[in-house]
Amino acid sequence: MSPPPAIPLDAQVRRVVLASQVLAGEMVLLGLAVQIAWFEAWTQPIVDAAAAQATGLANRARRDRLMRRGVPAHLAGRALGLVPGPRPHGDRPGDQPP
C-alpha cells in the first residue's frame, strides 16, 4: 500500500483559514438568529397587549357612538349587528360600524 499523497503546508494552511472563516460566519448567523428569537419572545406580550388595547378602544368608541344615537347602554355594550346585510369584515356581527 502506498502512502497518501502529501499536501503542501501552504495549501493546508489555506484550507484551515477558509474553514475557520466559514465557521466564524456561521457563528455570527447563529448569534443573530438567537438574538432575533429572544427579541421576538420578549416583545410578543407587548404586541399582544397593544392589540388588545386597540380592540378595547374600538369597542368603547362603538359603544359610545351607539349611545349617542339613542341605543340603551346595556345594549350598546354588546356586540350587536343592528343593520342587517352583508358584513364586509365577517368576523362578528358587531364588527361593522353603525
Side-chain angles (χ1 to χ4, degrees):
M1 219 178 191
S2 64
I7 301 175
L9 185 60
D10 59 340
Q12 289 180 5
V13 169
R14 275 185 295 218
R15 288 174 59 188
V16 168
V17 168
L18 181 63
S20 65
Q21 288 174 343
V22 170
L23 178 62
E26 294 292 327
M27 289 180 66
V28 167
L29 291 176
L30 176 63
L32 285 173
V34 168
Q35 187 174 15
I36 289 170
W38 174 83
F39 187 70
E40 285 181 357
W42 185 74
T43 58
Q44 191 59 45
I46 297 169
V47 171
D48 293 342
Q53 183 181 15
T55 301
L57 289 174
N59 289 341
R60 187 174 301 132
R62 182 176 187 277
R63 184 197 68 210
D64 292 345
R65 279 193 313 270
L66 288 173
M67 288 175 60
R68 282 193 304 269
R69 292 182 180 188
V71 175
H74 70 281
L75 293 177
R78 300 162 85 194
L80 299 176
L82 299 178
V83 180
R87 289 176 270 155
H89 302 294
D91 292 339
R92 297 182 323 204
D95 284 346
Q96 183 177 350

Coordinates of all heavy atoms in Angstrom, one line a residue:
M1 N 0.8 -1.2 0.0 CA 0.0 0.0 0.0 C 0.9 1.2 0.0 O 1.8 1.4 0.8 CB -0.8 0.0 1.3 CG -2.2 0.5 1.0 SD -3.0 0.3 2.6 CE -4.6 0.6 2.2
S2 N 0.5 2.2 -0.9 CA 1.3 3.4 -0.9 C 0.7 4.5 0.0 O -0.5 4.5 0.2 CB 1.4 3.9 -2.4 OG 0.1 4.3 -2.8
P3 N 1.6 5.3 0.5 CA 1.1 6.4 1.4 C 0.3 7.4 0.6 O 0.5 7.6 -0.6 CB 2.3 7.0 2.0 CG 3.4 6.6 1.1 CD 3.0 5.3 0.4
P4 N -0.7 8.1 1.3 CA -1.5 9.1 0.6 C -0.5 10.2 0.1 O 0.5 10.5 0.7 CB -2.5 9.6 1.6 CG -1.9 9.2 2.9 CD -1.0 8.0 2.7
P5 N -0.9 10.9 -1.0 CA 0.0 12.0 -1.4 C 0.0 13.1 -0.4 O -1.0 13.5 0.2 CB -0.7 12.5 -2.7 CG -2.1 12.0 -2.6 CD -2.1 10.8 -1.8
A6 N 1.2 13.7 -0.3 CA 1.4 14.7 0.7 C 0.8 16.1 0.2 O 1.0 16.4 -1.0 CB 2.9 14.9 1.0
I7 N 0.1 16.8 1.0 CA -0.5 18.1 0.7 C 0.5 19.1 1.2 O 0.9 19.1 2.4 CB -1.9 18.3 1.3 CG1 -2.8 17.2 0.8 CG2 -2.4 19.7 1.0 CD1 -4.2 17.3 1.5
P8 N 0.9 20.0 0.3 CA 1.8 21.1 0.8 C 1.3 21.9 2.0 O 0.1 22.0 2.1 CB 2.0 22.0 -0.4 CG 1.5 21.2 -1.6 CD 0.5 20.2 -1.0
L9 N 2.2 22.3 2.8 CA 1.8 23.0 4.0 C 1.0 24.3 3.8 O 0.0 24.6 4.5 CB 3.1 23.3 4.9 CG 2.8 23.9 6.2 CD1 2.0 23.0 7.1 CD2 4.1 24.2 6.9
D10 N 1.4 25.0 2.8 CA 0.7 26.3 2.5 C -0.8 26.0 2.0 O -1.7 26.7 2.4 CB 1.4 27.1 1.5 CG 1.6 26.4 0.1 OD1 1.5 25.2 0.1 OD2 1.8 27.1 -0.9
A11 N -1.0 24.9 1.3 CA -2.4 24.5 0.9 C -3.2 24.1 2.2 O -4.4 24.4 2.3 CB -2.3 23.4 -0.1
Q12 N -2.5 23.4 3.1 CA -3.2 23.0 4.3 C -3.6 24.3 5.1 O -4.7 24.4 5.7 CB -2.3 22.1 5.1 CG -2.2 20.7 4.6 CD -1.3 19.8 5.4 OE1 -0.9 20.2 6.5 NE2 -1.0 18.7 4.9
V13 N -2.7 25.2 5.2 CA -3.0 26.5 6.0 C -4.1 27.2 5.3 O -5.0 27.7 6.0 CB -1.7 27.3 6.0 CG1 -2.0 28.7 6.6 CG2 -0.6 26.7 6.9
R14 N -4.2 27.3 4.0 CA -5.3 28.0 3.3 C -6.6 27.3 3.6 O -7.6 27.9 3.8 CB -5.0 28.0 1.8 CG -4.2 29.2 1.4 CD -4.1 29.2 -0.1 NE -3.3 28.0 -0.4 CZ -2.4 27.9 -1.4 NH1 -2.2 28.9 -2.2 NH2 -1.8 26.8 -1.6
R15 N -6.6 26.0 3.6 CA -7.8 25.2 3.9 C -8.3 25.5 5.3 O -9.5 25.6 5.6 CB -7.6 23.7 3.6 CG -7.5 23.4 2.1 CD -7.2 22.0 1.9 NE -8.1 21.1 2.5 CZ -8.0 19.8 2.5 NH1 -6.9 19.2 2.0 NH2 -8.9 19.0 3.0
V16 N -7.4 25.5 6.2 CA -7.7 25.8 7.6 C -8.3 27.2 7.8 O -9.3 27.4 8.5 CB -6.5 25.5 8.6 CG1 -6.8 26.0 10.0 CG2 -6.2 24.0 8.6
V17 N -7.6 28.2 7.2 CA -8.1 29.6 7.3 C -9.5 29.7 6.7 O -10.4 30.3 7.2 CB -7.1 30.5 6.6 CG1 -7.7 31.9 6.4 CG2 -5.8 30.6 7.4
L18 N -9.7 29.1 5.5 CA -11.0 29.1 4.9 C -12.1 28.5 5.7 O -13.2 29.0 5.9 CB -10.9 28.5 3.5 CG -12.2 28.5 2.7 CD1 -12.7 29.9 2.4 CD2 -12.1 27.6 1.4
A19 N -11.8 27.3 6.3 CA -12.7 26.7 7.2 C -13.0 27.5 8.4 O -14.2 27.6 8.9 CB -12.2 25.3 7.6
S20 N -12.0 28.2 9.0 CA -12.3 29.0 10.2 C -13.1 30.2 9.8 O -13.9 30.7 10.6 CB -10.9 29.4 10.8 OG -10.2 30.2 10.0
Q21 N -12.9 30.8 8.6 CA -13.7 31.9 8.2 C -15.2 31.5 8.0 O -16.1 32.2 8.4 CB -13.2 32.5 6.9 CG -11.9 33.3 7.1 CD -11.3 33.7 5.8 OE1 -11.7 33.2 4.7 NE2 -10.4 34.7 5.8
V22 N -15.4 30.3 7.4 CA -16.8 29.8 7.3 C -17.4 29.6 8.6 O -18.6 29.9 8.9 CB -16.8 28.5 6.4 CG1 -18.1 27.8 6.4 CG2 -16.4 28.8 5.0
L23 N -16.6 29.0 9.5 CA -17.2 28.7 10.9 C -17.5 30.0 11.6 O -18.6 30.1 12.2 CB -16.1 27.9 11.7 CG -16.5 27.6 13.2 CD1 -17.8 26.8 13.2 CD2 -15.4 27.0 13.9
A24 N -16.7 31.0 11.5 CA -17.0 32.3 12.1 C -18.2 32.9 11.5 O -19.0 33.5 12.2 CB -15.8 33.3 11.9
G25 N -18.4 32.9 10.2 CA -19.6 33.4 9.6 C -20.9 32.6 10.1 O -21.9 33.3 10.4
E26 N -20.8 31.3 10.2 CA -21.9 30.6 10.7 C -22.2 30.9 12.2 O -23.4 31.0 12.6 CB -21.6 29.1 10.6 CG -21.5 28.6 9.1 CD -22.9 28.6 8.4 OE1 -23.9 28.4 9.0 OE2 -22.8 28.8 7.2
M27 N -21.2 31.2 13.0 CA -21.4 31.5 14.4 C -22.1 32.9 14.4 O -23.0 33.1 15.3 CB -20.1 31.5 15.1 CG -19.6 30.1 15.3 SD -18.0 30.1 16.2 CE -18.5 30.7 17.8
V28 N -21.7 33.8 13.6 CA -22.4 35.1 13.6 C -23.8 35.0 13.2 O -24.7 35.6 13.8 CB -21.6 36.1 12.6 CG1 -22.5 37.3 12.3 CG2 -20.3 36.5 13.1
L29 N -24.1 34.2 12.2 CA -25.5 34.0 11.8 C -26.3 33.3 12.9 O -27.5 33.7 13.1 CB -25.6 33.1 10.5 CG -25.1 33.8 9.2 CD1 -25.1 32.9 8.1 CD2 -25.9 35.1 8.9
L30 N -25.7 32.3 13.6 CA -26.4 31.7 14.7 C -26.7 32.7 15.8 O -27.8 32.7 16.4 CB -25.6 30.5 15.2 CG -26.1 29.8 16.5 CD1 -27.4 29.2 16.1 CD2 -25.1 28.8 17.0
G31 N -25.7 33.5 16.1 CA -25.9 34.6 17.1 C -27.0 35.5 16.8 O -27.8 35.9 17.6
L32 N -27.1 35.9 15.5 CA -28.2 36.8 15.1 C -29.5 36.1 15.2 O -30.5 36.7 15.6 CB -27.9 37.3 13.7 CG -26.9 38.3 13.5 CD1 -26.6 38.6 12.0 CD2 -27.3 39.6 14.2
A33 N -29.6 34.8 14.8 CA -30.9 34.1 14.9 C -31.3 34.0 16.3 O -32.5 34.1 16.7 CB -30.7 32.7 14.3
V34 N -30.4 33.7 17.3 CA -30.7 33.6 18.7 C -31.2 34.9 19.2 O -32.2 35.0 19.9 CB -29.5 33.0 19.5 CG1 -29.8 33.2 21.0 CG2 -29.3 31.6 19.1
Q35 N -30.5 36.0 18.8 CA -30.9 37.3 19.3 C -32.3 37.7 18.8 O -33.1 38.3 19.5 CB -29.9 38.4 18.8 CG -30.1 39.7 19.4 CD -29.0 40.7 19.1 OE1 -28.2 40.4 18.2 NE2 -28.9 41.8 19.8
I36 N -32.6 37.4 17.5 CA -33.9 37.8 16.9 C -35.0 36.9 17.6 O -36.1 37.5 17.9 CB -33.9 37.5 15.4 CG1 -33.0 38.6 14.7 CG2 -35.3 37.5 14.8 CD1 -32.8 38.3 13.3
A37 N -34.8 35.7 17.9 CA -35.7 34.8 18.6 C -36.0 35.3 20.0 O -37.1 35.4 20.4 CB -35.3 33.4 18.6
W38 N -35.0 35.7 20.7 CA -35.1 36.3 22.0 C -35.9 37.6 22.0 O -36.8 37.8 22.8 CB -33.7 36.5 22.7 CG -33.8 37.2 24.0 CD1 -34.1 36.6 25.2 CD2 -33.7 38.6 24.2 NE1 -34.1 37.6 26.2 CE2 -33.9 38.8 25.6 CE3 -33.5 39.7 23.4 CZ2 -33.8 40.1 26.2 CZ3 -33.4 41.0 24.0 CH2 -33.6 41.1 25.4
F39 N -35.6 38.5 21.0 CA -36.3 39.7 20.9 C -37.8 39.5 20.6 O -38.6 40.2 21.2 CB -35.6 40.6 19.9 CG -36.1 42.0 19.9 CD1 -35.9 42.9 20.9 CD2 -36.9 42.4 18.8 CE1 -36.4 44.2 20.9 CE2 -37.4 43.7 18.8 CZ -37.1 44.6 19.8
E40 N -38.1 38.6 19.7 CA -39.5 38.3 19.4 C -40.2 37.8 20.6 O -41.3 38.2 20.9 CB -39.6 37.4 18.2 CG -39.3 38.0 16.9 CD -39.4 37.0 15.7 OE1 -39.7 35.8 16.0 OE2 -39.2 37.5 14.6
A41 N -39.6 36.9 21.3 CA -40.2 36.3 22.5 C -40.4 37.4 23.6 O -41.4 37.4 24.3 CB -39.4 35.2 23.1
W42 N -39.5 38.3 23.7 CA -39.6 39.4 24.7 C -40.7 40.4 24.3 O -41.3 40.9 25.2 CB -38.2 40.0 24.8 CG -38.1 41.0 25.9 CD1 -38.1 40.8 27.3 CD2 -38.1 42.5 25.8 NE1 -38.0 42.0 28.0 CE2 -38.0 43.0 27.1 CE3 -38.1 43.3 24.7 CZ2 -38.0 44.4 27.3 CZ3 -38.1 44.7 24.9 CH2 -38.0 45.2 26.2
T43 N -40.8 40.7 23.0 CA -41.8 41.8 22.6 C -43.2 41.3 22.3 O -44.1 42.1 22.2 CB -41.2 42.5 21.4 OG1 -41.0 41.6 20.3 CG2 -40.0 43.3 21.7
Q44 N -43.4 40.0 22.2 CA -44.7 39.5 21.8 C -45.8 39.8 22.8 O -46.9 40.2 22.4 CB -44.6 37.9 21.6 CG -45.9 37.4 20.9 CD -46.2 38.0 19.6 OE1 -45.3 38.2 18.7 NE2 -47.4 38.4 19.3
P45 N -45.5 39.7 24.1 CA -46.6 40.1 25.1 C -46.9 41.6 24.9 O -48.1 42.0 25.1 CB -45.9 39.9 26.4 CG -44.9 38.8 26.2 CD -44.4 39.1 24.8
I46 N -46.0 42.5 24.6 CA -46.2 43.9 24.4 C -47.1 44.1 23.2 O -48.1 44.9 23.2 CB -44.9 44.7 24.3 CG1 -44.1 44.5 25.6 CG2 -45.2 46.1 23.9 CD1 -42.7 45.0 25.5
V47 N -46.8 43.4 22.1 CA -47.6 43.5 20.9 C -49.0 43.0 21.1 O -50.0 43.6 20.7 CB -47.0 42.7 19.7 CG1 -47.9 42.5 18.5 CG2 -45.6 43.3 19.3
D48 N -49.2 41.9 21.9 CA -50.5 41.3 22.2 C -51.3 42.3 23.0 O -52.5 42.5 22.8 CB -50.4 40.0 22.9 CG -49.8 38.9 22.0 OD1 -49.8 39.0 20.8 OD2 -49.3 37.9 22.6
A49 N -50.6 42.9 24.0 CA -51.3 43.9 24.9 C -51.8 45.1 24.1 O -52.9 45.6 24.3 CB -50.4 44.3 26.0
A50 N -50.9 45.6 23.1 CA -51.3 46.7 22.3 C -52.5 46.4 21.4 O -53.4 47.2 21.3 CB -50.1 47.2 21.5
A51 N -52.5 45.2 20.9 CA -53.7 44.8 20.1 C -54.9 44.7 20.9 O -56.0 45.1 20.5 CB -53.4 43.4 19.4
A52 N -54.8 44.1 22.1 CA -56.0 44.0 23.0 C -56.5 45.4 23.4 O -57.7 45.7 23.4 CB -55.7 43.2 24.2
Q53 N -55.6 46.3 23.6 CA -56.0 47.7 24.0 C -56.6 48.4 22.8 O -57.6 49.1 23.0 CB -54.8 48.5 24.4 CG -55.1 49.9 24.8 CD -53.9 50.7 25.3 OE1 -52.8 50.4 25.0 NE2 -54.1 51.8 25.9
A54 N -56.1 48.2 21.6 CA -56.8 48.8 20.4 C -58.2 48.2 20.2 O -59.1 49.0 19.8 CB -55.9 48.5 19.2
T55 N -58.3 46.9 20.4 CA -59.7 46.3 20.3 C -60.6 46.9 21.3 O -61.8 47.2 21.0 CB -59.6 44.8 20.4 OG1 -58.7 44.3 19.4 CG2 -60.9 44.2 20.3
G56 N -60.1 47.1 22.6 CA -61.0 47.6 23.6 C -61.4 49.1 23.3 O -62.5 49.5 23.5
L57 N -60.4 49.9 22.8 CA -60.7 51.2 22.5 C -61.7 51.3 21.3 O -62.6 52.2 21.3 CB -59.4 52.0 22.1 CG -58.5 52.3 23.3 CD1 -57.2 52.9 22.7 CD2 -59.2 53.2 24.3
A58 N -61.6 50.4 20.3 CA -62.5 50.4 19.2 C -63.9 50.0 19.7 O -64.9 50.6 19.3 CB -62.1 49.5 18.1
N59 N -64.0 49.0 20.6 CA -65.3 48.6 21.1 C -65.9 49.8 22.0 O -67.1 50.0 21.9 CB -65.2 47.4 22.0 CG -64.9 46.2 21.2 OD1 -65.1 46.1 19.9 ND2 -64.4 45.1 21.8
R60 N -65.1 50.5 22.7 CA -65.6 51.6 23.6 C -66.1 52.7 22.7 O -67.1 53.3 22.9 CB -64.5 52.1 24.5 CG -65.0 53.1 25.5 CD -63.9 53.4 26.5 NE -63.5 52.3 27.2 CZ -62.2 51.9 27.4 NH1 -61.3 52.7 27.0 NH2 -61.9 50.8 28.1
A61 N -65.4 53.0 21.6 CA -65.8 54.1 20.7 C -67.1 53.7 20.0 O -68.0 54.5 19.9 CB -64.7 54.3 19.6
R62 N -67.3 52.4 19.6 CA -68.5 52.0 19.0 C -69.7 52.1 20.0 O -70.8 52.5 19.6 CB -68.3 50.5 18.5 CG -69.6 50.0 17.8 CD -69.4 48.6 17.2 NE -70.5 48.2 16.5 CZ -71.6 47.7 17.0 NH1 -71.7 47.6 18.3 NH2 -72.6 47.4 16.2
R63 N -69.4 51.6 21.2 CA -70.5 51.7 22.2 C -70.9 53.2 22.5 O -72.1 53.5 22.5 CB -70.0 51.1 23.6 CG -71.0 51.1 24.6 CD -70.5 50.9 26.0 NE -69.7 52.1 26.4 CZ -68.7 52.1 27.1 NH1 -68.2 51.0 27.7 NH2 -68.0 53.3 27.4
D64 N -69.9 54.1 22.5 CA -70.2 55.5 22.7 C -71.0 56.1 21.6 O -72.0 56.8 21.8 CB -68.9 56.3 22.9 CG -68.3 56.0 24.3 OD1 -68.9 55.3 25.1 OD2 -67.1 56.3 24.4
R65 N -70.7 55.7 20.3 CA -71.4 56.1 19.2 C -72.9 55.6 19.2 O -73.8 56.4 18.9 CB -70.8 55.6 17.9 CG -69.6 56.4 17.4 CD -69.2 56.1 16.0 NE -69.1 54.7 15.7 CZ -68.1 53.9 15.8 NH1 -66.9 54.5 16.3 NH2 -68.1 52.6 15.5
L66 N -73.0 54.4 19.6 CA -74.4 53.8 19.7 C -75.2 54.5 20.8 O -76.4 54.8 20.6 CB -74.3 52.3 20.0 CG -73.9 51.4 18.8 CD1 -73.7 50.0 19.3 CD2 -74.9 51.5 17.7
M67 N -74.5 54.8 21.9 CA -75.2 55.5 23.0 C -75.6 56.9 22.6 O -76.7 57.4 22.9 CB -74.4 55.5 24.2 CG -74.3 54.1 24.9 SD -73.2 54.1 26.3 CE -73.9 55.2 27.4
R68 N -74.8 57.6 21.8 CA -75.1 58.9 21.3 C -76.3 58.9 20.4 O -77.1 59.8 20.2 CB -73.9 59.6 20.6 CG -72.9 60.1 21.6 CD -71.9 61.0 20.8 NE -71.2 60.4 19.7 CZ -70.1 59.7 19.8 NH1 -69.5 59.7 21.0 NH2 -69.5 59.2 18.8
R69 N -76.5 57.8 19.7 CA -77.6 57.6 18.7 C -78.9 57.1 19.4 O -79.9 56.8 18.8 CB -77.2 56.6 17.6 CG -76.2 57.2 16.7 CD -75.9 56.3 15.6 NE -74.8 57.0 14.7 CZ -74.5 56.5 13.6 NH1 -75.0 55.3 13.2 NH2 -73.5 57.1 12.9
G70 N -78.8 56.9 20.7 CA -80.0 56.6 21.5 C -80.2 55.1 21.8 O -81.2 54.7 22.4
V71 N -79.2 54.3 21.6 CA -79.2 52.9 22.0 C -79.0 52.8 23.5 O -78.0 53.4 24.0 CB -78.2 52.0 21.2 CG1 -78.2 50.6 21.7 CG2 -78.5 52.1 19.7
P72 N -79.8 52.0 24.2 CA -79.6 51.9 25.7 C -78.2 51.4 26.0 O -77.6 50.6 25.2 CB -80.6 51.0 26.1 CG -81.7 51.0 25.1 CD -81.0 51.3 23.8
A73 N -77.6 51.8 27.1 CA -76.2 51.4 27.5 C -76.1 49.9 27.6 O -75.0 49.4 27.1 CB -75.9 52.1 28.8
H74 N -77.1 49.2 28.1 CA -76.9 47.7 28.3 C -76.9 47.0 26.9 O -76.3 46.0 26.8 CB -78.0 47.2 29.2 CG -79.3 47.2 28.6 ND1 -80.1 48.3 28.6 CD2 -80.1 46.2 28.1 CE1 -81.3 48.0 28.0 NE2 -81.3 46.7 27.7
L75 N -77.5 47.6 25.9 CA -77.5 47.0 24.5 C -76.3 47.5 23.7 O -75.7 46.8 22.9 CB -78.8 47.4 23.8 CG -80.0 46.7 24.3 CD1 -81.2 47.2 23.5 CD2 -79.9 45.2 24.3
A76 N -75.9 48.8 24.0 CA -74.7 49.3 23.2 C -73.4 48.6 23.6 O -72.5 48.6 22.8 CB -74.6 50.8 23.5
G77 N -73.3 48.1 24.8 CA -72.1 47.5 25.3 C -71.9 46.1 24.7 O -70.9 45.5 24.8
R78 N -73.0 45.5 24.1 CA -72.9 44.2 23.5 C -72.5 44.3 22.0 O -72.7 45.3 21.4 CB -74.2 43.5 23.6 CG -74.6 43.3 25.1 CD -76.1 43.1 25.2 NE -76.3 41.6 25.1 CZ -77.5 41.1 24.9 NH1 -78.6 41.9 24.8 NH2 -77.7 39.8 24.8
A79 N -72.0 43.3 21.5 CA -71.6 43.3 20.1 C -72.8 42.9 19.2 O -73.0 41.8 18.9 CB -70.4 42.3 19.8
L80 N -73.6 43.9 18.9 CA -74.8 43.7 18.2 C -74.7 44.1 16.8 O -74.1 45.1 16.5 CB -76.0 44.5 18.8 CG -76.3 44.1 20.3 CD1 -77.4 45.1 20.8 CD2 -76.8 42.7 20.4
G81 N -75.3 43.4 15.9 CA -75.4 43.8 14.5 C -76.7 44.5 14.2 O -77.7 43.8 14.0
L82 N -76.8 45.8 14.3 CA -78.1 46.4 14.3 C -78.6 46.6 12.8 O -79.7 46.8 12.6 CB -78.0 47.8 15.0 CG -77.6 47.8 16.4 CD1 -77.5 49.2 17.0 CD2 -78.7 47.0 17.2
V83 N -77.7 46.6 11.9 CA -78.0 46.8 10.5 C -77.9 45.5 9.8 O -76.8 44.9 9.7 CB -77.1 47.9 9.8 CG1 -77.5 48.1 8.4 CG2 -77.2 49.2 10.6
P84 N -79.0 44.9 9.3 CA -78.9 43.6 8.6 C -78.2 43.8 7.2 O -78.3 44.9 6.6 CB -80.3 43.2 8.4 CG -81.1 44.4 8.5 CD -80.4 45.4 9.4
G85 N -77.6 42.7 6.7 CA -77.0 42.8 5.4 C -75.6 42.1 5.5 O -75.2 41.6 6.5
P86 N -74.9 42.2 4.4 CA -73.6 41.5 4.3 C -72.6 42.3 5.2 O -72.6 43.5 5.3 CB -73.2 41.6 2.9 CG -74.0 42.8 2.3 CD -75.3 42.8 3.1
R87 N -71.8 41.5 5.9 CA -70.8 42.0 6.7 C -69.4 42.1 6.0 O -68.9 41.0 5.6 CB -70.6 41.2 8.0 CG -71.9 41.4 8.9 CD -71.8 40.5 10.1 NE -72.4 39.2 9.7 CZ -72.1 38.1 10.2 NH1 -71.3 38.0 11.1 NH2 -72.8 37.0 9.8
P88 N -68.9 43.2 5.7 CA -67.6 43.3 5.0 C -66.5 42.6 5.7 O -65.6 42.1 5.1 CB -67.4 44.8 4.8 CG -68.2 45.5 5.8 CD -69.3 44.6 6.1
H89 N -66.4 42.7 7.0 CA -65.3 42.1 7.8 C -65.6 40.7 8.1 O -64.7 39.9 8.2 CB -65.0 42.9 9.0 CG -64.7 44.4 8.8 ND1 -63.6 44.8 8.1 CD2 -65.4 45.5 9.0 CE1 -63.6 46.1 8.0 NE2 -64.7 46.5 8.5
G90 N -66.8 40.3 8.3 CA -67.2 38.9 8.5 C -66.8 38.3 9.8 O -67.1 37.1 10.0
D91 N -66.2 38.9 10.7 CA -65.7 38.2 11.9 C -66.9 38.0 12.9 O -67.2 36.9 13.3 CB -64.6 39.0 12.7 CG -63.3 39.1 11.9 OD1 -63.2 38.2 11.0 OD2 -62.5 40.0 12.1
R92 N -67.5 39.1 13.3 CA -68.6 39.1 14.2 C -69.7 40.0 13.8 O -69.4 41.0 13.1 CB -68.2 39.5 15.7 CG -67.2 38.6 16.3 CD -66.8 39.0 17.7 NE -66.8 40.5 17.7 CZ -66.2 41.3 18.6 NH1 -65.5 40.7 19.5 NH2 -66.3 42.6 18.5
P93 N -70.9 39.9 14.3 CA -71.9 40.8 13.9 C -71.6 42.2 14.3 O -72.1 43.2 13.7 CB -73.2 40.3 14.6 CG -72.9 38.8 14.9 CD -71.4 38.7 15.0
G94 N -70.9 42.4 15.4 CA -70.7 43.7 15.9 C -69.5 44.4 15.3 O -69.1 45.5 15.7
D95 N -68.8 43.8 14.4 CA -67.6 44.4 13.8 C -67.9 45.6 12.9 O -67.0 46.4 12.7 CB -66.7 43.4 13.1 CG -66.0 42.5 14.1 OD1 -65.9 42.8 15.2 OD2 -65.5 41.5 13.6
Q96 N -69.1 45.6 12.3 CA -69.4 46.7 11.4 C -69.8 47.9 12.1 O -70.7 47.8 12.9 CB -70.5 46.2 10.5 CG -70.9 47.1 9.4 CD -71.9 46.5 8.4 OE1 -72.2 45.4 8.5 NE2 -72.5 47.4 7.6
P97 N -69.3 49.1 11.8 CA -69.7 50.3 12.5 C -71.1 50.6 12.0 O -71.5 50.3 10.9 CB -68.7 51.3 12.1 CG -68.0 50.8 10.8 CD -68.2 49.3 10.9
P98 N -71.9 51.3 12.9 CA -73.3 51.6 12.6 C -73.3 52.7 11.5 O -72.4 53.4 11.3 CB -73.8 52.1 13.9 CG -72.7 52.5 14.8 CD -71.5 51.7 14.3

